[in-house]
Amino acid sequence: MITIKKFIGIALPFVVLGIATASELEVWSDKPAKKWIEAYPFGNGSFGGMVFGGVKTEHLQFNLDTLFNGKPHDYARKGAVAHLPTLRKLLFENKQEKAHKLGSRFLSIRDDGSKKQRAYQPFGDLYLTFPQFEGKTPETYRRELDIDRAVASVEFAVDGTTFHREIFASHPDKVIMTRLTSSKRNSINCVVSLQSLHDEIKIATDASGLLVMSGKVKQGVTRFEARLQIRVEGGKIVPRDGAIEIIGADKATLILAGASSFVNYKDVSGDPRKDNVATLKSLAGKSYEQIKTEHIQDYQSLYHRVSLDVGTSDKAKQPTASRLKSFDKDDPQMVELFFQYGRYLIISCSRPDSQPANLQGLWNDSLKPAWESKYTCNINTEMNYWLAEMTNLSECHQPLFSALKDLSETGANVAKEHYGARGWVVHHNFDLWRGAAPINASDHGIWPTGGAWMCQHLWWHYEFGQDKQFLSRTAYPLM
């Protein structure tokens, strides 16, 4: 059945094919993640991480979408257009090899180290070390990601006591929340620390339960800060060397704020410390329950627009990894989970105030990620957004449109310097600094249709929403 739901004043298609219960929409495992790729992703569009779910040591690896190495600069090669007639002549004469060499030498930025497109970078790692679990084997264990509420959790029992953790990234409050509870009073004991792979790392603590890590991106100019506030109910907080120890707490709440000096692709003069202080100050009167409730309401205002029911299966009771290995027609709920998991991911890594989803969405733990984890717009960037309109998440499309506006500026100079043309152009990759010039080998790098392909998304956004103001102000403004 297809119905229409009113949303933000526009009639949008709202697919209702049955209502699934929350338990059917969980990714879960009966053991912690051993590798990063096995951890569970969460995010609020710009800020997010991966939950490993360890018993003795919990590891939350976290990211911020404005952390790229490099710096603002113009990627266009001045005077490249002078070589264009020769290049065309060689191609028309079927002298491909000579044309490739000429293009790589004079039009591509591959050989110019200062102008190479840059890589998306990890931010840091939050570790919670529990000495009390050393040498202990949990009697029960479950790690799950509830994609109906966008909350990850870990629960296990040791010596008859049940320990529970909840982790989520709040879009309304711009923080990562971690909540530790236990079935036994005064039983939460752990050491909390922050680490990063980057340069000039400084870590400071104070008796109020504040842990601050600041630094600068390796091979780049962007500065960053992570500021962690710890609240405890019962017990006490003791600052250690570069860490904070929680002793004998009933409950503990960890609030992580993260910011960088990135302002826009031309400006990295921001003050991450000022931003983080303001973020935490705004939460001074808020309880964990209030922050969580507002997070779920915000997330579900997007997620609950579409529901899918293609049948049920007892296999939904199995760990997700097992269901994947044995997937067949007898597990139709796996199709539903896969469909909704895709919607969960785009909500988590692409919101109106974030950068677009890059090659890995928002999530990355490597200084040298595959293909620099940037924006590959000869198909991958577009693929990230194919589901935005058709699954009723049009707001999640906005970061791509913001990037296109930037690229229309940087790409105008590339069009002029490389082709002697008006308008703007983007080739097969761009990065945070909005590099629009050709990169890599010229046999595929000098491919000037990336911008045109991405512009198709502007029209799709209009087709689904019928917003003529979007056409006149954003997609096709009158010159």
Side-chain angles (χ1 to χ4, degrees):
M1 178 177 66
I2 305 294
T3 64
I4 299 296
K5 180 178 180 179
K6 291 286 186 179
F7 191 84
I8 318 181
I10 302 172
L12 296 176
F14 182 68
V15 181
V16 183
L17 301 176
I19 303 299
T21 64
S23 62
E24 297 168 357
L25 296 172
E26 292 174 349
V27 178
W28 73 278
S29 176
D30 55 6
K31 55 182 177 293
K34 292 182 178 180
K35 299 181 291 185
W36 181 84
I37 200 169
E38 296 173 350
Y40 291 158
F42 64 93
N44 64 14
S46 299
F47 194 33
M50 300 285 279
V51 181
F52 282 69
V55 174
K56 300 168 189 174
T57 301
E58 174 63 278
H59 177 196
L60 302 180
Q61 186 272 323
F62 56 94
N63 290 98
L64 183 67
D65 63 0
T66 55
L67 290 186
F68 275 66
N69 56 25
K71 61 183 179 180
H73 62 279
D74 181 11
Y75 282 90
R77 294 190 69 167
K78 293 188 180 300
V81 67
H83 302 279
L84 192 60
T86 304
L87 178 64
R88 287 171 172 161
K89 184 174 183 293
L90 289 170
L91 289 172
F92 283 123
E93 293 173 353
N94 292 320
K95 297 177 180 178
Q96 296 284 337
E97 187 175 348
K98 289 185 178 180
H100 293 167
K101 289 180 179 179
L102 179 70
S104 293
R105 183 177 179 185
F106 294 110
L107 276 79
S108 174
I109 63 171
R110 181 188 61 171
D111 297 323
D112 187 340
S114 65
K115 291 188 176 182
K116 180 180 179 181
Q117 284 191 6
R118 312 310 295 185
Y120 181 51
Q121 298 289 280
F123 191 158
D125 301 271
L126 171 62
Y127 289 99
L128 285 69
T129 304
F130 299 85
Q132 72 199 81
F133 301 140
E134 191 65 40
K136 303 283 186 178
T137 300
E139 293 123 35
T140 60
Y141 180 91
R142 182 181 176 97
R143 173 172 57 104
E144 70 179 40
L145 176 63
D146 181 350
I147 63 172
D148 185 73
R149 301 184 306 146
V151 176
S153 63
V154 181
E155 184 170 289
F156 55 89
V158 174
D159 294 335
T161 301
T162 300
F163 297 88
H164 186 80
R165 303 173 197 152
E166 287 188 336
I167 304 99
F168 62 87
S170 166
H171 182 258
D173 289 312
K174 312 302 181 190
V175 291
I176 292 173
M177 301 292 297
T178 303
R179 175 77 156 176
L180 309 178
T181 59
S182 168
S183 63
K184 183 180 178 181
R185 295 193 61 183
N186 306 119
S187 60
I188 297 174
N189 302 278
C190 67
V191 177
V192 182
S193 61
L194 290 169
Q195 296 181 18
S196 178
L197 298 173
H198 293 290
D199 295 329
E200 302 177 23
I201 298 300
K202 296 179 181 178
I203 297 176
T205 62
D206 68 27
S208 71
L210 196 65
L211 181 60
V212 181
M213 178 181 73
S214 60
K216 181 173 73 70
V217 170
K218 276 185 180 290
Q219 299 180 353
V221 300
T222 305
R223 305 198 67 83
F224 58 80
E225 184 195 78
R227 186 167 286 249
L228 180 70
Q229 182 186 84
I230 302 176
R231 303 175 182 174
V232 295
E233 299 174 35
K236 61 181 180 179
I237 293 172
V238 180
R240 302 298 186 195
D241 184 20
I244 290 179
E245 185 174 5
I246 299 172
I247 302 174
D250 298 332
K251 300 177 182 179
T253 303
L254 283 61
I255 307 174
L256 180 65
S260 80
S261 61
F262 178 88
V263 178
N264 57 53
Y265 76 93
K266 298 179 285 189
D267 185 356
V268 289
S269 64
D271 185 345
R273 179 186 180 279
K274 181 179 178 182
D275 291 343
N276 284 337
V277 168
T279 295
L280 292 181
K281 184 178 180 181
S282 70
L283 299 178
K286 280 191 172 184
S287 67
Y288 172 79
E289 288 74 19
Q290 184 179 357
I291 295 169
K292 179 182 174 182
T293 297
E294 291 176 1
H295 153 69
I296 293 173
Q297 289 174 344
D298 170 78
Y299 170 78
Q300 290 183 342
S301 70
L302 296 169
Y303 179 79
H304 274 180
R305 294 176 187 175
V306 174
S307 177
L308 176 66
D309 183 357
V310 292
T312 60
S313 168
D314 288 339
K315 290 187 177 181
K317 300 174 183 178
Q318 298 176 7
T320 309
S322 300
R323 295 172 71 188
L324 282 171
K325 289 179 181 178
S326 62
F327 176 69
D328 57 30
K329 64 182 179 180
D330 294 327
D331 190 3
Q333 281 179 305
M334 192 65 191
V335 176
E336 176 189 358
L337 179 61
F338 194 76
F339 170 78
Q340 294 288 26
Y341 186 61
R343 298 180 71 246
Y344 164 82
L345 288 175
I346 195 170
I347 296 171
S348 300
C349 71
S350 186
R351 300 291 286 267
D353 52 0
S354 76
Q355 294 296 313
N358 62 48
L359 273 174
Q360 295 177 189
L362 170 66
W363 304 278
N364 169 41
D365 69 334
S366 173
L367 294 173
K368 295 181 179 180
W371 294 283
E372 290 80 46
S373 191
K374 50 185 188 293
Y375 306 96
T376 302
C377 53
N378 63 357
I379 187 56
N380 304 89
T381 300
E382 292 86 346
M383 288 173 67
N384 281 345
Y385 287 95
W386 283 348
L387 76 164
E389 302 296 336
M390 67 178 64
T391 70
N392 212 347
L393 295 173
S394 61
E395 294 92 332
C396 297
H397 228 155
Q398 293 298 331
L400 181 63
F401 304 152
S402 297
L404 284 174
K405 183 178 185 301
D406 293 343
L407 290 165
S408 72
E409 298 170 1
T410 61
N413 196 38
V414 175
K416 174 185 175 183
E417 295 293 345
H418 287 244
Y419 301 104
R422 295 174 299 167
W424 56 279
V425 64
V426 180
H427 293 77
H428 81 297
N429 274 264
F430 68 93
D431 60 5
L432 183 72
W433 315 115
R434 302 311 188 232
I439 64 168
N440 306 127
S442 60
D443 61 351
H444 64 275
I446 304 177
W447 180 80
T449 53
W453 196 346
M454 288 187 288
C455 281
Q456 187 177 33
H457 289 253
L458 298 169
W459 182 249
W460 285 339
H461 186 71
Y462 169 71
E463 282 190 312
F464 277 84
Q466 298 292 303
D467 184 353
K468 292 185 178 180
Q469 286 190 346
F470 171 76
L471 284 183
S472 63
R473 295 177 181 178
T474 303
Y476 298 100
L478 297 175
M479 303 303 290

